[in-house]
Structures are given as C-alpha cells and as structure tokens.
Amino acid sequence: MRFNWIGSLPEDPKEFLSVVKQQLKLPLEEAFKLFYLTLRIKASSDSPVYKFLERTPTGIKFDEIGKREYLLTLSVYALREIISQHIDLKLVKNLYLLLSKELPSEFLKDVSPKHSIVVSQDILLELLTTAGKTELPAFLKAKHIIFNLRIDGNSEDLLKITPYLTNFFFVFEPKPKEFCLYTSFSISEFVLFSIKTEKFKSIQPEVEKTLEKFKALFPECFGEL
C-alpha cells in the first residue's frame, strides 16, 4: 500500500475544477469531497446556530471561538447536502447566498433552491483563505486545515483501513489494474488514524512518512495533540 501526498488542492475553485478534471480525472461529485471551505461565523443571537447544529449535519468541523463567533469547515460535498436538505435554516441560506457568488456554478448545480432566498442580517459570514487559516491558534489549525491523500493498493488492503476513514472514495486504475482511494484528513484526524491503525504493520512506514510531513508543515500543532 502506498500513501501519495496530494496536500492541499488549488484554493481557487476554477483551478480546482481544472486539476480534478484534466490531471486527476476524477468524477466531479466525488471530487467535491476533497475541496474544503472554512468560514468564520458571527451571529447576533445563538438561536440560528443552535438550530443548524440540531440537524447534526455530517462531515463538518465546528468550533466556538468567541462570544457568538464560530468556525465552520466543510467540504463542497457536505455543503451540497446541507443546501439540498436544510435550506430553511437562516445559516444555510446565508451560506448559499455567499458561496453561490464565490464558487463556479458547477459546484452547486442541481442543489440550488428553486425559490428566491433572502439574506439574514443577524448572521455574518467570512470565507477564510489558506493564509488566513494559518493565522489561527494551533489547536484550531490542527482541526480546520485539511490535506488530501491518495492511497494505492489492492482492494483487500484498502478495505481494511476504510473503517478508520471519515471521508473517502474509490477509483479503479486500469493501469496497473489496481484500486486507489482518495481521502482527506485534518492534522488531528491523521494523528488519530495513525494510532488506530498501528495494528496494520505493513502500512506503518507510509503512515510515519505522512505524519512527518504534517509535523514539518505545522510543528506547532503537535504540542496541542
């Protein structure tokens, strides 16, 4: 089994589309699992945020970072699900209104609401850049900065590790006739993955190599884990 470091795919959504279509040649709906957005949320009351969290949306990372101030990280795949299922919520409406302007139309194709949406004035959203996320405290960087991996191997070996992955999809490579999977990790998630998969001795060199890359990029985060 081989762990191939992809790191952060292009931050610009148009560049991301170009890479996944022309270089990686991935199905677009699956590739949306690899493109992450981080937003700073400021709310004038707790109610819209609590109502959002009551729906227990999957595939998000959420932290309270101040009084009525929050950090939300989610993939475009998760965003599409949230918009299609929870557009009645104020926070989701504002997410849609902001991101429909920031993202190419392909990102929200088929999930855009059929009716007009009115912005909620009591929720402010700010889309953070990668540079902005590197300014976060270490414990937040460890959770909200996301990296991507491609893992190559036979199907039996790959299936052994999937219970320890929170986000992945398979791709079959005709040459050399083997499967691979694409997955995403935050720093804290990969540390947890490395602990849970210690019993698989054959992949430990690959896990250690990847862990060292995380440590080289963000050494300050490992004092928080």
PDB file of all heavy atoms in Angstrom, residues 55 77-88 92 96 108-113:
ATOM      1  N   ARG A  55     -29.641  19.886  13.597  1.00  0.00           N
ATOM      2  CA  ARG A  55     -29.839  18.986  12.452  1.00  0.00           C
ATOM      3  C   ARG A  55     -28.685  17.991  12.320  1.00  0.00           C
ATOM      4  O   ARG A  55     -28.717  17.129  11.451  1.00  0.00           O
ATOM      5  CB  ARG A  55     -29.962  19.794  11.156  1.00  0.00           C
ATOM      6  CG  ARG A  55     -31.070  20.839  11.156  1.00  0.00           C
ATOM      7  CD  ARG A  55     -32.444  20.239  11.006  1.00  0.00           C
ATOM      8  NE  ARG A  55     -33.470  21.272  11.044  1.00  0.00           N
ATOM      9  CZ  ARG A  55     -33.985  21.868   9.968  1.00  0.00           C
ATOM     10  NH1 ARG A  55     -33.569  21.527   8.757  1.00  0.00           N
ATOM     11  NH2 ARG A  55     -34.917  22.799  10.098  1.00  0.00           N
ATOM     12  N   TYR A  77     -18.916  18.783  -0.975  1.00  0.00           N
ATOM     13  CA  TYR A  77     -19.850  17.646  -0.964  1.00  0.00           C
ATOM     14  C   TYR A  77     -20.840  17.794   0.194  1.00  0.00           C
ATOM     15  O   TYR A  77     -22.058  17.642   0.015  1.00  0.00           O
ATOM     16  CB  TYR A  77     -19.067  16.344  -0.840  1.00  0.00           C
ATOM     17  CG  TYR A  77     -19.903  15.095  -0.961  1.00  0.00           C
ATOM     18  CD1 TYR A  77     -20.116  14.500  -2.204  1.00  0.00           C
ATOM     19  CD2 TYR A  77     -20.475  14.498   0.159  1.00  0.00           C
ATOM     20  CE1 TYR A  77     -20.881  13.349  -2.328  1.00  0.00           C
ATOM     21  CE2 TYR A  77     -21.241  13.352   0.048  1.00  0.00           C
ATOM     22  CZ  TYR A  77     -21.433  12.775  -1.198  1.00  0.00           C
ATOM     23  OH  TYR A  77     -22.202  11.633  -1.311  1.00  0.00           O
ATOM     24  N   ALA A  78     -20.322  18.099   1.390  1.00  0.00           N
ATOM     25  CA  ALA A  78     -21.191  18.298   2.556  1.00  0.00           C
ATOM     26  C   ALA A  78     -22.058  19.540   2.381  1.00  0.00           C
ATOM     27  O   ALA A  78     -23.238  19.550   2.750  1.00  0.00           O
ATOM     28  CB  ALA A  78     -20.348  18.410   3.821  1.00  0.00           C
ATOM     29  N   LEU A  79     -21.477  20.592   1.812  1.00  0.00           N
ATOM     30  CA  LEU A  79     -22.229  21.822   1.565  1.00  0.00           C
ATOM     31  C   LEU A  79     -23.434  21.550   0.671  1.00  0.00           C
ATOM     32  O   LEU A  79     -24.542  22.030   0.941  1.00  0.00           O
ATOM     33  CB  LEU A  79     -21.318  22.861   0.917  1.00  0.00           C
ATOM     34  CG  LEU A  79     -21.991  24.141   0.418  1.00  0.00           C
ATOM     35  CD1 LEU A  79     -22.488  24.978   1.591  1.00  0.00           C
ATOM     36  CD2 LEU A  79     -21.021  24.956  -0.448  1.00  0.00           C
ATOM     37  N   ARG A  80     -23.230  20.780  -0.379  1.00  0.00           N
ATOM     38  CA  ARG A  80     -24.326  20.460  -1.299  1.00  0.00           C
ATOM     39  C   ARG A  80     -25.450  19.717  -0.570  1.00  0.00           C
ATOM     40  O   ARG A  80     -26.632  19.995  -0.777  1.00  0.00           O
ATOM     41  CB  ARG A  80     -23.795  19.624  -2.465  1.00  0.00           C
ATOM     42  CG  ARG A  80     -22.962  20.416  -3.467  1.00  0.00           C
ATOM     43  CD  ARG A  80     -22.231  19.495  -4.439  1.00  0.00           C
ATOM     44  NE  ARG A  80     -23.129  18.585  -5.113  1.00  0.00           N
ATOM     45  CZ  ARG A  80     -23.837  18.883  -6.206  1.00  0.00           C
ATOM     46  NH1 ARG A  80     -23.722  20.086  -6.753  1.00  0.00           N
ATOM     47  NH2 ARG A  80     -24.636  17.997  -6.761  1.00  0.00           N
ATOM     48  N   GLU A  81     -25.080  18.782   0.292  1.00  0.00           N
ATOM     49  CA  GLU A  81     -26.091  18.042   1.050  1.00  0.00           C
ATOM     50  C   GLU A  81     -26.855  18.966   1.997  1.00  0.00           C
ATOM     51  O   GLU A  81     -28.078  18.864   2.128  1.00  0.00           O
ATOM     52  CB  GLU A  81     -25.431  16.915   1.846  1.00  0.00           C
ATOM     53  CG  GLU A  81     -24.988  15.739   0.994  1.00  0.00           C
ATOM     54  CD  GLU A  81     -24.659  14.520   1.840  1.00  0.00           C
ATOM     55  OE1 GLU A  81     -24.377  14.684   3.044  1.00  0.00           O
ATOM     56  OE2 GLU A  81     -24.688  13.403   1.293  1.00  0.00           O
ATOM     57  N   ILE A  82     -26.123  19.852   2.653  1.00  0.00           N
ATOM     58  CA  ILE A  82     -26.756  20.767   3.608  1.00  0.00           C
ATOM     59  C   ILE A  82     -27.724  21.709   2.896  1.00  0.00           C
ATOM     60  O   ILE A  82     -28.840  21.955   3.368  1.00  0.00           O
ATOM     61  CB  ILE A  82     -25.673  21.551   4.381  1.00  0.00           C
ATOM     62  CG1 ILE A  82     -24.952  20.618   5.357  1.00  0.00           C
ATOM     63  CG2 ILE A  82     -26.277  22.735   5.129  1.00  0.00           C
ATOM     64  CD1 ILE A  82     -23.716  21.217   5.989  1.00  0.00           C
ATOM     65  N   ILE A  83     -27.317  22.237   1.749  1.00  0.00           N
ATOM     66  CA  ILE A  83     -28.197  23.136   0.999  1.00  0.00           C
ATOM     67  C   ILE A  83     -29.448  22.400   0.525  1.00  0.00           C
ATOM     68  O   ILE A  83     -30.571  22.914   0.618  1.00  0.00           O
ATOM     69  CB  ILE A  83     -27.445  23.764  -0.192  1.00  0.00           C
ATOM     70  CG1 ILE A  83     -26.398  24.753   0.316  1.00  0.00           C
ATOM     71  CG2 ILE A  83     -28.419  24.462  -1.148  1.00  0.00           C
ATOM     72  CD1 ILE A  83     -25.478  25.293  -0.759  1.00  0.00           C
ATOM     73  N   SER A  84     -29.277  21.194   0.037  1.00  0.00           N
ATOM     74  CA  SER A  84     -30.425  20.452  -0.503  1.00  0.00           C
ATOM     75  C   SER A  84     -31.407  20.026   0.584  1.00  0.00           C
ATOM     76  O   SER A  84     -32.602  19.892   0.327  1.00  0.00           O
ATOM     77  CB  SER A  84     -29.939  19.225  -1.281  1.00  0.00           C
ATOM     78  OG  SER A  84     -29.306  18.299  -0.419  1.00  0.00           O
ATOM     79  N   GLN A  85     -30.916  19.847   1.811  1.00  0.00           N
ATOM     80  CA  GLN A  85     -31.770  19.310   2.874  1.00  0.00           C
ATOM     81  C   GLN A  85     -32.197  20.338   3.920  1.00  0.00           C
ATOM     82  O   GLN A  85     -33.197  20.127   4.609  1.00  0.00           O
ATOM     83  CB  GLN A  85     -31.043  18.162   3.580  1.00  0.00           C
ATOM     84  CG  GLN A  85     -30.743  16.980   2.677  1.00  0.00           C
ATOM     85  CD  GLN A  85     -29.897  15.920   3.362  1.00  0.00           C
ATOM     86  OE1 GLN A  85     -29.797  15.887   4.581  1.00  0.00           O
ATOM     87  NE2 GLN A  85     -29.268  15.056   2.571  1.00  0.00           N
ATOM     88  N   HIS A  86     -31.440  21.443   4.044  1.00  0.00           N
ATOM     89  CA  HIS A  86     -31.693  22.348   5.175  1.00  0.00           C
ATOM     90  C   HIS A  86     -31.745  23.817   4.765  1.00  0.00           C
ATOM     91  O   HIS A  86     -31.374  24.695   5.543  1.00  0.00           O
ATOM     92  CB  HIS A  86     -30.607  22.154   6.243  1.00  0.00           C
ATOM     93  CG  HIS A  86     -30.442  20.740   6.696  1.00  0.00           C
ATOM     94  ND1 HIS A  86     -31.433  20.045   7.360  1.00  0.00           N
ATOM     95  CD2 HIS A  86     -29.399  19.872   6.563  1.00  0.00           C
ATOM     96  CE1 HIS A  86     -31.008  18.817   7.633  1.00  0.00           C
ATOM     97  NE2 HIS A  86     -29.785  18.691   7.152  1.00  0.00           N
ATOM     98  N   ILE A  87     -32.220  24.095   3.568  1.00  0.00           N
ATOM     99  CA  ILE A  87     -32.232  25.476   3.084  1.00  0.00           C
ATOM    100  C   ILE A  87     -33.222  26.342   3.862  1.00  0.00           C
ATOM    101  O   ILE A  87     -33.204  27.577   3.754  1.00  0.00           O
ATOM    102  CB  ILE A  87     -32.539  25.516   1.561  1.00  0.00           C
ATOM    103  CG1 ILE A  87     -32.187  26.881   0.962  1.00  0.00           C
ATOM    104  CG2 ILE A  87     -33.996  25.137   1.299  1.00  0.00           C
ATOM    105  CD1 ILE A  87     -30.744  27.261   1.040  1.00  0.00           C
ATOM    106  N   ASP A  88     -34.060  25.737   4.688  1.00  0.00           N
ATOM    107  CA  ASP A  88     -34.995  26.512   5.504  1.00  0.00           C
ATOM    108  C   ASP A  88     -34.297  27.233   6.655  1.00  0.00           C
ATOM    109  O   ASP A  88     -34.868  28.158   7.249  1.00  0.00           O
ATOM    110  CB  ASP A  88     -36.086  25.596   6.071  1.00  0.00           C
ATOM    111  CG  ASP A  88     -35.515  24.470   6.928  1.00  0.00           C
ATOM    112  OD1 ASP A  88     -34.692  23.696   6.395  1.00  0.00           O
ATOM    113  OD2 ASP A  88     -35.883  24.373   8.113  1.00  0.00           O
ATOM    114  N   VAL A  92     -27.951  28.348   6.739  1.00  0.00           N
ATOM    115  CA  VAL A  92     -27.766  27.686   5.442  1.00  0.00           C
ATOM    116  C   VAL A  92     -28.116  28.641   4.301  1.00  0.00           C
ATOM    117  O   VAL A  92     -27.439  28.660   3.266  1.00  0.00           O
ATOM    118  CB  VAL A  92     -28.603  26.395   5.366  1.00  0.00           C
ATOM    119  CG1 VAL A  92     -28.458  25.734   4.002  1.00  0.00           C
ATOM    120  CG2 VAL A  92     -28.177  25.427   6.466  1.00  0.00           C
ATOM    121  N   TYR A  96     -25.500  29.672   1.390  1.00  0.00           N
ATOM    122  CA  TYR A  96     -25.792  29.558  -0.039  1.00  0.00           C
ATOM    123  C   TYR A  96     -25.602  30.896  -0.753  1.00  0.00           C
ATOM    124  O   TYR A  96     -24.969  30.964  -1.820  1.00  0.00           O
ATOM    125  CB  TYR A  96     -27.217  29.051  -0.259  1.00  0.00           C
ATOM    126  CG  TYR A  96     -27.628  29.146  -1.708  1.00  0.00           C
ATOM    127  CD1 TYR A  96     -27.119  28.254  -2.650  1.00  0.00           C
ATOM    128  CD2 TYR A  96     -28.473  30.161  -2.147  1.00  0.00           C
ATOM    129  CE1 TYR A  96     -27.451  28.365  -3.990  1.00  0.00           C
ATOM    130  CE2 TYR A  96     -28.812  30.273  -3.482  1.00  0.00           C
ATOM    131  CZ  TYR A  96     -28.300  29.375  -4.397  1.00  0.00           C
ATOM    132  OH  TYR A  96     -28.619  29.495  -5.725  1.00  0.00           O
ATOM    133  N   LEU A 108     -22.567  24.049  -7.239  1.00  0.00           N
ATOM    134  CA  LEU A 108     -23.887  23.963  -6.602  1.00  0.00           C
ATOM    135  C   LEU A 108     -24.978  23.568  -7.595  1.00  0.00           C
ATOM    136  O   LEU A 108     -26.165  23.703  -7.308  1.00  0.00           O
ATOM    137  CB  LEU A 108     -24.233  25.292  -5.925  1.00  0.00           C
ATOM    138  CG  LEU A 108     -23.245  25.735  -4.834  1.00  0.00           C
ATOM    139  CD1 LEU A 108     -23.668  27.061  -4.232  1.00  0.00           C
ATOM    140  CD2 LEU A 108     -23.116  24.677  -3.744  1.00  0.00           C
ATOM    141  N   LYS A 109     -24.551  23.073  -8.730  1.00  0.00           N
ATOM    142  CA  LYS A 109     -25.505  22.625  -9.742  1.00  0.00           C
ATOM    143  C   LYS A 109     -26.403  21.530  -9.164  1.00  0.00           C
ATOM    144  O   LYS A 109     -25.948  20.647  -8.453  1.00  0.00           O
ATOM    145  CB  LYS A 109     -24.738  22.088 -10.954  1.00  0.00           C
ATOM    146  CG  LYS A 109     -25.605  21.705 -12.131  1.00  0.00           C
ATOM    147  CD  LYS A 109     -24.738  21.195 -13.272  1.00  0.00           C
ATOM    148  CE  LYS A 109     -25.582  20.780 -14.461  1.00  0.00           C
ATOM    149  NZ  LYS A 109     -24.734  20.259 -15.570  1.00  0.00           N
ATOM    150  N   ASP A 110     -27.680  21.618  -9.463  1.00  0.00           N
ATOM    151  CA  ASP A 110     -28.689  20.627  -9.053  1.00  0.00           C
ATOM    152  C   ASP A 110     -29.103  20.720  -7.586  1.00  0.00           C
ATOM    153  O   ASP A 110     -30.002  19.989  -7.169  1.00  0.00           O
ATOM    154  CB  ASP A 110     -28.230  19.187  -9.338  1.00  0.00           C
ATOM    155  CG  ASP A 110     -27.890  18.959 -10.802  1.00  0.00           C
ATOM    156  OD1 ASP A 110     -28.519  19.610 -11.649  1.00  0.00           O
ATOM    157  OD2 ASP A 110     -26.999  18.144 -11.082  1.00  0.00           O
ATOM    158  N   VAL A 111     -28.468  21.575  -6.796  1.00  0.00           N
ATOM    159  CA  VAL A 111     -28.911  21.713  -5.402  1.00  0.00           C
ATOM    160  C   VAL A 111     -29.362  23.135  -5.089  1.00  0.00           C
ATOM    161  O   VAL A 111     -29.816  23.405  -3.974  1.00  0.00           O
ATOM    162  CB  VAL A 111     -27.808  21.287  -4.402  1.00  0.00           C
ATOM    163  CG1 VAL A 111     -27.437  19.836  -4.599  1.00  0.00           C
ATOM    164  CG2 VAL A 111     -26.585  22.185  -4.489  1.00  0.00           C
ATOM    165  N   SER A 112     -29.246  24.033  -6.041  1.00  0.00           N
ATOM    166  CA  SER A 112     -29.673  25.412  -5.805  1.00  0.00           C
ATOM    167  C   SER A 112     -31.177  25.456  -5.579  1.00  0.00           C
ATOM    168  O   SER A 112     -31.938  24.757  -6.262  1.00  0.00           O
ATOM    169  CB  SER A 112     -29.309  26.294  -7.001  1.00  0.00           C
ATOM    170  OG  SER A 112     -27.905  26.343  -7.169  1.00  0.00           O
ATOM    171  N   PRO A 113     -31.631  26.247  -4.608  1.00  0.00           N
ATOM    172  CA  PRO A 113     -33.073  26.328  -4.335  1.00  0.00           C
ATOM    173  C   PRO A 113     -33.841  26.888  -5.525  1.00  0.00           C
ATOM    174  O   PRO A 113     -33.324  27.713  -6.282  1.00  0.00           O
ATOM    175  CB  PRO A 113     -33.145  27.263  -3.122  1.00  0.00           C
ATOM    176  CG  PRO A 113     -31.845  27.992  -3.100  1.00  0.00           C
ATOM    177  CD  PRO A 113     -30.830  27.089  -3.709  1.00  0.00           C
TER     178      PRO A 113
END
